[in-house]
Every structure is written in structure tokens, then in C-alpha cells.
Amino acid sequence: MSLYGLSQRTTATAAASASWEVRSASTNKPRLMEMGISQVTGVAGTYGMGRPAAIGITPTSPQNFVAEDDASAPTSLSTAAVAWGTAPTVPANFNRRITAAATIGVGVIWTFPRGMDIATSNSIIIWIIALAPVCDVWGVVSE
């Protein structure tokens, strides 16, 4: 399996909203190996990470993950999005949570040594639990 990574800048800052979605295709079942957040401005934020109750519909400008371990690897099937026609909904339970101080650059790196499965045609999201700034986000998937 090849490793793929992607970094994006979020746009959502409102509480109770999706910030970033890592999506599988109908033909793959990737494993999320790492996910990170770094705040771009000095505003405190509270975030949760988990599987949404419903995935986003019509993501605008989804980006494919980029090969990390093999420059000749095929284009990844996994994508990520920061905006949608209809955003993903809040997870019933979060796998991870963090509350970050009002400091530029503060954040977290969540790692999953065995990988966190993303079922086909599904996703894992970062959810803004309380008001948050724009963030740099990244992830690594194995597919």
C-alpha cells in the first residue's frame, strides 16, 4: 500500500460546523494514519475528530492526496474538502478532541499506528465544537 498526504487551509470558523473532511471513494477503503491541525490566527478553538453521521454532499474543489513514498504511484482515490454544497454532520461520538489556546501555531497531531479505517464512500471529519480560527490541516492515508 502507498502512503499519500495532503495539507489544506480551512475556511469554516463557526461553532457547530464541519471544518475538514477526508473522503474515501466508492472503490477504496483507505486507512487514516495521521491527522493534524495548526491554528493560523490567535483565537482559541475546540475541535473534535470522528466519523460524521452523514458525509458531505457535493464537496467544492475536493483535492486528491499526493503520493509520499513513491513518486510514480497512481493518483490517490482519497480526497479532502473544506467546503460543500451540504456539509457533513456532527459525529455521534468523537474519536479525538482538543481545546487549543488563543495562540498562532498551536495545534495537535493525532496518529493512528494501525490506521483508522475509512469505509468506502465515507469520511472522517474535523468538527468545530466551539468558535475557532482558520487552520492549516493535514492528513496521511494508506491506500
Side-chain angles (χ1 to χ4, degrees):
M1 298 183 90
S2 291
L3 289 178
Y4 295 86
L6 181 66
S7 179
Q8 291 181 292
R9 182 160 283 179
T10 65
T11 56
T13 58
S17 64
S19 179
W20 194 48
E21 181 180 36
V22 177
R23 303 170 57 95
S24 66
S26 62
T27 55
N28 79 328
K29 185 180 174 184
R31 288 180 176 261
L32 181 66
M33 307 304 291
E34 175 181 295
M35 181 179 269
I37 307 168
S38 176
Q39 295 186 151
V40 176
T41 58
V43 175
T46 301
Y47 311 91
M49 185 278 295
R51 293 179 173 92
I55 67 169
I57 299 172
T58 324
T60 58
S61 303
Q63 301 292 308
N64 288 82
F65 278 67
V66 179
E68 290 197 351
D69 58 349
D70 183 356
S72 62
T75 301
S76 75
L77 296 174
S78 302
T79 60
V82 297
W84 310 263
T86 302
T89 59
V90 64
N93 296 293
F94 294 109
N95 294 85
R96 305 284 191 276
R97 289 173 67 123
I98 181 177
T99 297
T103 305
I104 295 170
V106 73
V108 66
I109 300 170
W110 290 309
T111 60
F112 309 95
R114 295 183 181 178
M116 184 173 177
D117 286 341
I118 304 174
T120 57
S121 300
N122 246 295
S123 67
I124 293 176
I125 65 169
I126 294 176
W127 183 263
I128 300 171
I129 297 170
L131 181 68
V134 168
C135 292
D136 287 331
V137 291
W138 64 92
V140 176
V141 297
S142 175
E143 61 175 50

